[in-house]
């Protein structure tokens, strides 16, 4: 990526990135995505000042995306970053209107994420506790599946976030806190991990619940790598990654309870529509609810 330092558009970009970090509390990953997308846009349009930005420039950005054969989701991300940035510039009285709002993003399909069935989950989590790493990995996967955690939430857990034997505090998107119940199995393996955590020799002042062989908080990449490794060892037919365990949690909870609102709270979704995208009821359950509830559904016997 070309260096943007000294570029006339860079000052407002940096102010915006500081704003979404400290005022909106967006995650480091989101901030980096915005930085990357806006960096590319600034180099493409080559303006002297953001106050000159108009719809022709936004169309130019869209044209670059299409010539590069970017996927619809990547194009939507770039336009979304630009819209948010323009809203900030309007608030700062640099722009009078948002030229990116009249440019439509490409339509995105909404494929449901794949999930593991209960037998696959049981196979994945049958890990022999023959080493501290094996115990740690099982505890991480039991917590992810047992509580429906995001990857960042799992990696960000501190020892002090364990409220009791059956309850943890989680910090979700936008630094929003939620308190989650733990199942007996997740609580058991978390307790097993805490007994052997010291064998990885973390510093006494290391707050992280899960640490790596490097004696510090385990990284997102390493968590994903370890889950993929266990899935391969268990000879599962599909790749396993943290979000697949989260989606499996949501799917199994929803199929068993049918309580969409409760699953929304457990997942930490701000909007119910998000839960509807990431979870699904099987048709038999829907048909059963319909037959039992709708007055026109009852059949003559």
């Amino acid at each position: 990526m070309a260096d943007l330092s000294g570029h006339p558009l860079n000052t407002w970009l940096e102010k915006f990135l500081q704003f979404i970090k400290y005022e909106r509390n967006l995650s480091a990953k989101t901030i980096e995505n915005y930085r990357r997308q806006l960096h590319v846009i600034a180099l493409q349009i080559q303006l002297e000042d953001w106050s000159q930005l108009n719809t022709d420039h936004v169309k130019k950005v869209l044209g670059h995306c299409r010539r590069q054969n970017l996927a619809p989701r990547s194009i939507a991300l770039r336009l979304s970053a630009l819209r948010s940035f323009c809203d900030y510039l309007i608030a700062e009285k640099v722009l009078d209107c948002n030229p990116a709002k009249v440019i439509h993003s490409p339509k995105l399909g909404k494929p449901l994420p794949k999930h593991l069935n209960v037998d696959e989950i049981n196979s994945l989590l049958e890990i022999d506790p023959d080493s501290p790493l094996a115990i740690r990995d099982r505890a991480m996967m039991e917590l992810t599946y047992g509580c429906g955690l995001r990857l960042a939430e799992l990696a960000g857990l501190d020892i002090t976030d364990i409220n009791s034997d059956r309850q943890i505090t989680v910090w979700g998107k936008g630094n929003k806190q939620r308190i989650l119940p733990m199942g007996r199995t997740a609580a058991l393996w978390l307790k097993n991990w805490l007994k052997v955590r010291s064998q990885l020799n973390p510093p006494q002042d290391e707050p992280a619940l899960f640490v790596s062989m490097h004696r510090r908080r385990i990284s997102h990449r390493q968590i994903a790598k370890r889950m993929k490794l266990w899935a391969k060892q268990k000879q599962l037919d599909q790749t396993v990654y943290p979000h697949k365990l989260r989606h499996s949690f949501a799917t199994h909870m929803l199929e068993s309870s049918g309580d969409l609102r409760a699953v929304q709270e457990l997942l930490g979704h701000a909007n119910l529509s998000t839960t509807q995208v990431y979870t699904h009821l099987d048709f038999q359950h829907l048909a059963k609810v319909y037959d039992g509830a709708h007055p026109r559904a009852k059949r003559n016997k």
Side-chain angles (χ1 to χ4, degrees):
M1 183 181 292
D3 186 11
L4 199 61
S5 59
H7 195 285
L9 304 182
N10 192 48
T11 301
W12 280 110
L13 285 182
E14 290 303 319
K15 287 182 179 180
F16 171 67
L17 294 170
Q18 292 296 306
F19 169 76
I20 62 176
K21 178 179 181 180
Y22 295 109
E23 297 297 327
R24 293 181 55 190
N25 291 319
L26 297 188
S27 69
K29 181 179 179 181
T30 299
I31 294 169
E32 184 55 34
N33 281 337
Y34 274 41
R35 179 189 298 277
R36 186 179 298 109
Q37 298 301 328
L38 294 170
H39 187 122
V40 171
I41 290 169
L43 293 175
Q44 287 174 346
I45 59 179
Q46 291 293 318
L47 293 176
E48 290 299 321
D49 190 272
W50 286 111
S51 62
Q52 302 168 359
L53 187 69
N54 57 43
T55 54
D56 288 336
H57 297 115
V58 181
K59 290 177 182 177
K60 182 178 179 180
V61 170
L62 191 59
H64 275 284
C65 291
R66 287 170 175 162
R67 285 193 293 275
Q68 293 171 345
N69 292 319
L70 295 185
R73 194 166 297 277
S74 298
I75 298 174
L77 173 61
R78 186 161 299 177
L79 290 177
S80 176
L82 183 57
R83 289 190 194 101
S84 296
F85 179 50
C86 288
D87 283 339
Y88 170 77
L89 293 179
I90 291 171
E92 295 294 324
K93 303 189 184 307
V94 176
L95 285 174
D96 294 326
C97 62
N98 191 330
K101 284 193 173 178
V102 299
I103 306 298
H104 298 292
S105 299
K107 290 185 178 180
L108 302 177
K110 291 186 177 180
L112 287 170
K114 293 181 180 179
H115 67 282
L116 300 174
N117 62 41
V118 175
D119 288 339
E120 289 171 325
I121 287 287
N122 289 336
S123 176
L124 175 67
L125 297 181
E126 282 300 316
I127 296 175
D128 293 329
D130 57 359
S131 71
L133 290 185
I135 296 172
R136 179 203 65 190
D137 292 351
R138 179 156 184 182
M140 289 195 303
M141 290 192 287
E142 291 281 4
L143 265 183
T144 303
Y145 173 65
C147 300
L149 301 183
R150 298 180 176 95
L151 172 57
E153 293 169 349
L154 176 69
L157 284 172
D158 290 336
I159 294 176
T160 54
D161 291 327
I162 305 169
N163 302 340
S164 67
D165 287 343
R166 299 288 296 275
Q167 196 178 83
I168 59 170
T169 298
V170 172
W171 298 90
K173 287 186 176 181
N175 211 28
K176 293 180 180 177
Q177 182 192 82
R178 67 186 191 279
I179 298 174
L180 296 176
M182 281 190 292
R184 285 180 297 174
T185 308
L188 171 64
W189 282 95
L190 182 56
K191 186 177 294 186
N192 291 342
W193 159 242
L194 289 173
K195 290 177 182 177
V196 300
R197 178 180 178 275
S198 61
Q199 294 183 32
L200 269 63
N201 297 314
Q204 287 190 351
D205 59 350
E206 173 55 65
L209 176 59
F210 294 110
V211 294
S212 71
M213 292 291 288
H214 297 292
R215 304 172 57 236
R216 57 177 180 264
R217 187 182 302 275
I218 191 168
S219 69
H220 294 196
R221 184 184 298 273
Q222 190 66 14
I223 291 173
K225 183 178 179 181
R226 295 294 295 182
M227 290 187 183
K228 184 177 180 180
L229 176 67
W230 283 111
K232 186 176 180 180
Q233 287 192 16
K234 297 294 182 176
Q235 299 182 327
L236 296 184
D237 292 335
Q238 51 180 307
T239 303
V240 172
Y241 44 86
H243 189 75
K244 188 170 286 186
L245 291 184
R246 173 174 160 87
H247 181 59
S248 300
F249 160 86
T251 301
H252 298 160
M253 285 290 297
L254 195 53
E255 287 178 348
S256 297
S257 70
D259 193 333
L260 191 64
R261 189 71 68 178
V263 174
Q264 176 194 3
E265 292 293 325
L266 290 169
L267 291 173
H269 285 159
N271 300 311
L272 190 63
S273 60
T274 309
T275 313
Q276 291 169 326
V277 169
Y278 283 91
T279 60
H280 59 279
L281 285 166
D282 61 25
F283 180 78
Q284 287 185 339
H285 179 78
L286 286 173
K288 183 179 178 181
V289 171
Y290 179 85
D291 286 345
H294 198 284
R296 291 283 192 180
K298 295 179 173 57
R299 300 182 179 91
N300 293 326
K301 295 183 180 180

Short mmCIF file of all heavy atoms in Angstrom, two decimals, residues 275-301:
data_model
loop_
_atom_site.label_atom_id
_atom_site.label_comp_id
_atom_site.label_asym_id
_atom_site.label_seq_id
_atom_site.Cartn_x
_atom_site.Cartn_y
_atom_site.Cartn_z
N THR A 275 -29.99 -11.67 14.37
CA THR A 275 -30.15 -13.03 14.87
C THR A 275 -30.86 -13.90 13.85
O THR A 275 -30.53 -15.08 13.68
CB THR A 275 -30.95 -13.02 16.19
OG1 THR A 275 -30.42 -12.01 17.05
CG2 THR A 275 -30.87 -14.36 16.89
N GLN A 276 -31.83 -13.32 13.16
CA GLN A 276 -32.57 -14.09 12.16
C GLN A 276 -31.68 -14.49 10.99
O GLN A 276 -31.89 -15.54 10.38
CB GLN A 276 -33.76 -13.26 11.66
CG GLN A 276 -34.84 -13.09 12.72
CD GLN A 276 -35.89 -12.06 12.31
OE1 GLN A 276 -35.58 -11.08 11.66
NE2 GLN A 276 -37.12 -12.28 12.71
N VAL A 277 -30.67 -13.68 10.69
CA VAL A 277 -29.75 -14.02 9.60
C VAL A 277 -28.81 -15.14 10.02
O VAL A 277 -28.54 -16.07 9.25
CB VAL A 277 -28.93 -12.78 9.18
CG1 VAL A 277 -27.79 -13.18 8.24
CG2 VAL A 277 -29.83 -11.75 8.50
N TYR A 278 -28.33 -15.11 11.24
CA TYR A 278 -27.31 -16.05 11.68
C TYR A 278 -27.86 -17.32 12.30
O TYR A 278 -27.10 -18.22 12.66
CB TYR A 278 -26.37 -15.37 12.67
CG TYR A 278 -25.38 -14.46 11.99
CD1 TYR A 278 -25.66 -13.12 11.78
CD2 TYR A 278 -24.17 -14.96 11.53
CE1 TYR A 278 -24.77 -12.29 11.15
CE2 TYR A 278 -23.27 -14.14 10.89
CZ TYR A 278 -23.57 -12.79 10.71
OH TYR A 278 -22.67 -11.97 10.07
N THR A 279 -29.14 -17.40 12.46
CA THR A 279 -29.73 -18.62 13.01
C THR A 279 -30.92 -19.02 12.16
O THR A 279 -31.46 -18.23 11.41
CB THR A 279 -30.19 -18.41 14.47
OG1 THR A 279 -31.16 -17.37 14.49
CG2 THR A 279 -29.02 -18.03 15.36
N HIS A 280 -31.32 -20.26 12.26
CA HIS A 280 -32.49 -20.71 11.51
C HIS A 280 -33.19 -21.85 12.23
O HIS A 280 -32.56 -22.67 12.88
CB HIS A 280 -32.11 -21.14 10.10
CG HIS A 280 -31.11 -22.25 10.07
ND1 HIS A 280 -29.76 -22.04 10.24
CD2 HIS A 280 -31.27 -23.59 9.91
CE1 HIS A 280 -29.13 -23.21 10.17
NE2 HIS A 280 -30.02 -24.15 9.98
N LEU A 281 -34.50 -21.85 12.10
CA LEU A 281 -35.31 -22.95 12.63
C LEU A 281 -35.52 -23.99 11.54
O LEU A 281 -35.68 -23.65 10.38
CB LEU A 281 -36.68 -22.41 13.05
CG LEU A 281 -36.74 -21.61 14.36
CD1 LEU A 281 -38.06 -20.87 14.43
CD2 LEU A 281 -36.57 -22.52 15.55
N ASP A 282 -35.51 -25.25 11.91
CA ASP A 282 -35.82 -26.24 10.89
C ASP A 282 -37.33 -26.20 10.58
O ASP A 282 -38.15 -25.71 11.35
CB ASP A 282 -35.38 -27.65 11.32
CG ASP A 282 -36.05 -28.15 12.59
OD1 ASP A 282 -37.15 -27.68 12.89
OD2 ASP A 282 -35.47 -29.01 13.26
N PHE A 283 -37.67 -26.69 9.41
CA PHE A 283 -39.05 -26.56 8.93
C PHE A 283 -40.03 -27.32 9.82
O PHE A 283 -41.16 -26.88 10.04
CB PHE A 283 -39.15 -27.06 7.49
CG PHE A 283 -40.53 -26.95 6.93
CD1 PHE A 283 -41.01 -25.73 6.49
CD2 PHE A 283 -41.37 -28.06 6.86
CE1 PHE A 283 -42.30 -25.61 5.99
CE2 PHE A 283 -42.65 -27.94 6.36
CZ PHE A 283 -43.12 -26.72 5.93
N GLN A 284 -39.61 -28.47 10.35
CA GLN A 284 -40.53 -29.25 11.17
C GLN A 284 -40.95 -28.48 12.41
O GLN A 284 -42.11 -28.54 12.82
CB GLN A 284 -39.86 -30.57 11.59
CG GLN A 284 -39.75 -31.57 10.45
CD GLN A 284 -39.19 -32.90 10.91
OE1 GLN A 284 -38.55 -32.97 11.95
NE2 GLN A 284 -39.43 -33.94 10.14
N HIS A 285 -40.01 -27.74 12.99
CA HIS A 285 -40.35 -26.96 14.18
C HIS A 285 -41.33 -25.84 13.81
O HIS A 285 -42.32 -25.61 14.51
CB HIS A 285 -39.09 -26.36 14.80
CG HIS A 285 -39.38 -25.54 16.03
ND1 HIS A 285 -39.64 -26.08 17.26
CD2 HIS A 285 -39.47 -24.19 16.19
CE1 HIS A 285 -39.88 -25.13 18.13
NE2 HIS A 285 -39.78 -23.96 17.51
N LEU A 286 -41.05 -25.16 12.69
CA LEU A 286 -41.94 -24.10 12.25
C LEU A 286 -43.34 -24.66 11.98
O LEU A 286 -44.35 -24.04 12.35
CB LEU A 286 -41.39 -23.44 10.98
CG LEU A 286 -40.20 -22.51 11.17
CD1 LEU A 286 -39.67 -22.08 9.80
CD2 LEU A 286 -40.58 -21.29 11.97
N ALA A 287 -43.40 -25.81 11.31
CA ALA A 287 -44.70 -26.41 10.99
C ALA A 287 -45.45 -26.80 12.26
O ALA A 287 -46.67 -26.63 12.35
CB ALA A 287 -44.49 -27.64 10.10
N LYS A 288 -44.71 -27.29 13.25
CA LYS A 288 -45.34 -27.68 14.51
C LYS A 288 -45.92 -26.47 15.23
O LYS A 288 -47.04 -26.51 15.75
CB LYS A 288 -44.31 -28.39 15.40
CG LYS A 288 -44.87 -28.90 16.72
CD LYS A 288 -43.80 -29.61 17.53
CE LYS A 288 -44.35 -30.08 18.87
NZ LYS A 288 -43.30 -30.77 19.67
N VAL A 289 -45.15 -25.37 15.26
CA VAL A 289 -45.64 -24.14 15.89
C VAL A 289 -46.88 -23.64 15.17
O VAL A 289 -47.87 -23.24 15.77
CB VAL A 289 -44.53 -23.06 15.91
CG1 VAL A 289 -45.09 -21.72 16.35
CG2 VAL A 289 -43.40 -23.48 16.83
N TYR A 290 -46.82 -23.66 13.83
CA TYR A 290 -47.94 -23.17 13.02
C TYR A 290 -49.20 -24.00 13.26
O TYR A 290 -50.29 -23.49 13.50
CB TYR A 290 -47.56 -23.20 11.54
CG TYR A 290 -48.66 -22.74 10.62
CD1 TYR A 290 -48.83 -21.40 10.35
CD2 TYR A 290 -49.51 -23.66 10.01
CE1 TYR A 290 -49.85 -20.96 9.50
CE2 TYR A 290 -50.53 -23.25 9.16
CZ TYR A 290 -50.69 -21.89 8.91
OH TYR A 290 -51.69 -21.47 8.08
N ASP A 291 -49.03 -25.33 13.21
CA ASP A 291 -50.18 -26.22 13.38
C ASP A 291 -50.81 -26.06 14.76
O ASP A 291 -52.01 -26.19 14.93
CB ASP A 291 -49.76 -27.68 13.18
CG ASP A 291 -49.51 -28.00 11.70
OD1 ASP A 291 -49.94 -27.20 10.84
OD2 ASP A 291 -48.89 -29.03 11.41
N GLY A 292 -49.97 -25.78 15.74
CA GLY A 292 -50.49 -25.67 17.10
C GLY A 292 -51.06 -24.31 17.45
O GLY A 292 -51.82 -24.18 18.41
N ALA A 293 -50.73 -23.29 16.66
CA ALA A 293 -51.09 -21.93 17.05
C ALA A 293 -52.12 -21.27 16.13
O ALA A 293 -52.95 -20.48 16.60
CB ALA A 293 -49.83 -21.05 17.10
N HIS A 294 -52.08 -21.56 14.84
CA HIS A 294 -52.94 -20.83 13.92
C HIS A 294 -54.32 -21.45 13.86
O HIS A 294 -54.47 -22.68 13.66
CB HIS A 294 -52.32 -20.80 12.51
CG HIS A 294 -52.90 -19.75 11.63
ND1 HIS A 294 -54.14 -19.86 11.05
CD2 HIS A 294 -52.41 -18.53 11.26
CE1 HIS A 294 -54.39 -18.79 10.35
NE2 HIS A 294 -53.35 -17.95 10.46
N PRO A 295 -55.39 -20.65 14.03
CA PRO A 295 -56.76 -21.22 14.05
C PRO A 295 -57.16 -21.88 12.75
O PRO A 295 -58.03 -22.77 12.76
CB PRO A 295 -57.64 -19.99 14.34
CG PRO A 295 -56.81 -18.79 13.97
CD PRO A 295 -55.39 -19.20 14.27
N ARG A 296 -56.59 -21.49 11.64
CA ARG A 296 -56.94 -22.09 10.35
C ARG A 296 -56.08 -23.31 10.03
O ARG A 296 -56.26 -23.94 9.02
CB ARG A 296 -56.76 -21.07 9.23
CG ARG A 296 -57.76 -19.93 9.26
CD ARG A 296 -59.10 -20.38 8.75
NE ARG A 296 -60.01 -19.28 8.50
CZ ARG A 296 -61.23 -19.39 8.06
NH1 ARG A 296 -61.71 -20.60 7.80
NH2 ARG A 296 -61.99 -18.34 7.87
N ALA A 297 -55.12 -23.59 10.90
CA ALA A 297 -54.19 -24.69 10.61
C ALA A 297 -54.71 -26.03 11.10
O ALA A 297 -54.26 -27.08 10.66
CB ALA A 297 -52.84 -24.42 11.26
N LYS A 298 -55.66 -26.00 12.04
CA LYS A 298 -56.13 -27.25 12.63
C LYS A 298 -56.91 -28.07 11.60
O LYS A 298 -57.83 -27.58 10.97
CB LYS A 298 -56.99 -26.95 13.85
CG LYS A 298 -56.20 -26.30 14.99
CD LYS A 298 -57.12 -26.00 16.17
CE LYS A 298 -56.28 -25.52 17.36
NZ LYS A 298 -55.46 -24.34 17.08
N ARG A 299 -56.49 -29.31 11.47
CA ARG A 299 -57.11 -30.19 10.48
C ARG A 299 -58.29 -30.95 11.09
O ARG A 299 -58.31 -31.26 12.27
CB ARG A 299 -56.07 -31.19 9.96
CG ARG A 299 -54.87 -30.52 9.30
CD ARG A 299 -53.90 -31.59 8.77
NE ARG A 299 -52.77 -30.98 8.11
CZ ARG A 299 -51.64 -30.66 8.71
NH1 ARG A 299 -51.52 -30.89 10.01
NH2 ARG A 299 -50.65 -30.11 8.05
N ASN A 300 -59.24 -31.26 10.25
CA ASN A 300 -60.38 -32.08 10.72
C ASN A 300 -59.92 -33.51 10.96
O ASN A 300 -59.15 -34.06 10.17
CB ASN A 300 -61.49 -32.05 9.67
CG ASN A 300 -62.11 -30.67 9.53
OD1 ASN A 300 -62.20 -29.96 10.51
ND2 ASN A 300 -62.50 -30.33 8.32
N LYS A 301 -60.39 -34.09 11.99
CA LYS A 301 -60.00 -35.47 12.29
C LYS A 301 -61.22 -36.38 12.20
O LYS A 301 -62.33 -35.99 12.46
CB LYS A 301 -59.38 -35.55 13.68
CG LYS A 301 -58.07 -34.78 13.79
CD LYS A 301 -57.45 -34.95 15.16
CE LYS A 301 -56.15 -34.18 15.26
NZ LYS A 301 -55.52 -34.32 16.57
#
